[in-house]
Every structure is written in structure tokens, then in C-alpha cells.
Amino acid sequence: MGNSWASSPAARKSMQANRSRDTAPELALRRALHGLGLRYRVCTRPITALPRTADVVFQASKVCVEMRGCYWHGCRAHHRLPRANREYWSAKVERIRRRDREFEDLLAKAGWLLVVVWEHEDPMAAAQQIAMVVRARRRLTAISSIVDQ
């Protein structure tokens, strides 16, 4: 196993198989969003200067969506630490949570809204909420451009 952090070859193989994008919950959400008539960018930087991407980005309305996995992002309801390497995984999940908070703060400062969807949430219900937010922000953008003229 060399210098691997994995507790066993099986654990290493399992972790290497985890996808960073196009996961089943993410694809289900994107299908639901598309079915509601929304068009978006996938796995792109909402703010070009930031070296961080969001799963779904609505550029014009400045809304981005992150589909968070319960294990990796430490869902308060479902996250459980593994029995092996508990200290490592606890610290790793805390680093991911801190990175998530920093990203959300940076987006907010730039006028963006981050919508977080957890993998255990119903994709259609989440898509409907996202659609309401995106359409509301589009209306506000349209109104402010009329007022500015």
C-alpha cells in the first residue's frame, strides 16, 4: 500500500472510485432542473478569479448550487465517521466544512447566492426551490436594469 492514508487496499480502491462530479444525486438534480426549463453551466467557476467550482451555475442570476455528499461534507443528520483512521477523517471533514463556509462567504461578498442541496434531499423538491430562487433573482435583475435606465 506504500504511503497511502487508506486503512486497507479495499478501502483505498473504494475511495479511488468516488466521483467528484456527475454523481447519481447530482445527475438527478440536473435532470429535474432541466425538466423545469432551467439552463445552467455545470462544474464551472462562478467567479473566474476563485479557484473553486460549483456543481450548477446560473450566471445571469448569480445563483450557484452545490450538491453535497453526507459523508464528505459532514451532514449533521447522516455523517458517521469510519472506525478506522477516525482522527484523520474527522480532521478532513472539518477542513471540508471550513472550505465550504469560506466559499459561501466569498460568493456572498461578490453578490452570489449559494444553494446547498444534500444528497439525501429529494431532487425534484430541491429543483423546485432552486427554480423559485433563480426566477426571483432574474426578476430583480430585470427590475434593477429598468430602474437604472
Side-chain angles (χ1 to χ4, degrees), residues 10-82:
R12 180 175 170 78
K13 187 173 182 175
S14 173
M15 291 300 159
Q16 286 177 327
N18 285 324
R19 299 174 69 104
S20 64
R21 63 172 282 182
D22 298 334
T23 62
E26 189 180 324
L27 292 173
L29 177 66
R30 290 191 339 226
R31 275 192 300 275
L33 289 167
H34 195 272
L36 292 173
L38 295 174
R39 302 300 178 259
Y40 46 82
R41 306 274 316 232
V42 174
C43 197
T44 190
R45 292 179 182 185
I47 302 169
T48 311
L50 286 180
R52 179 89 192 265
T53 62
D55 298 322
V56 175
V57 176
F58 299 93
Q59 199 77 39
S61 55
K62 287 190 165 186
V63 174
C64 55
V65 179
E66 279 198 344
M67 172 62 75
R68 292 189 181 163
C70 293
Y71 181 81
W72 293 107
H73 294 268
C75 168
R76 302 282 183 208
H78 300 106
H79 179 72
R80 300 288 179 266
L81 286 172

Side-chain angles (χ1 to χ4, degrees), residues 90-105:
S90 178
K92 180 169 184 67
V93 169
E94 192 48 47
R95 283 191 310 272
I96 292 169
R97 284 178 176 162
R98 187 175 33 244
R99 184 194 68 197
D100 290 343
R101 286 189 300 272
E102 290 169 0
F103 187 51
E104 189 167 359
D105 290 345

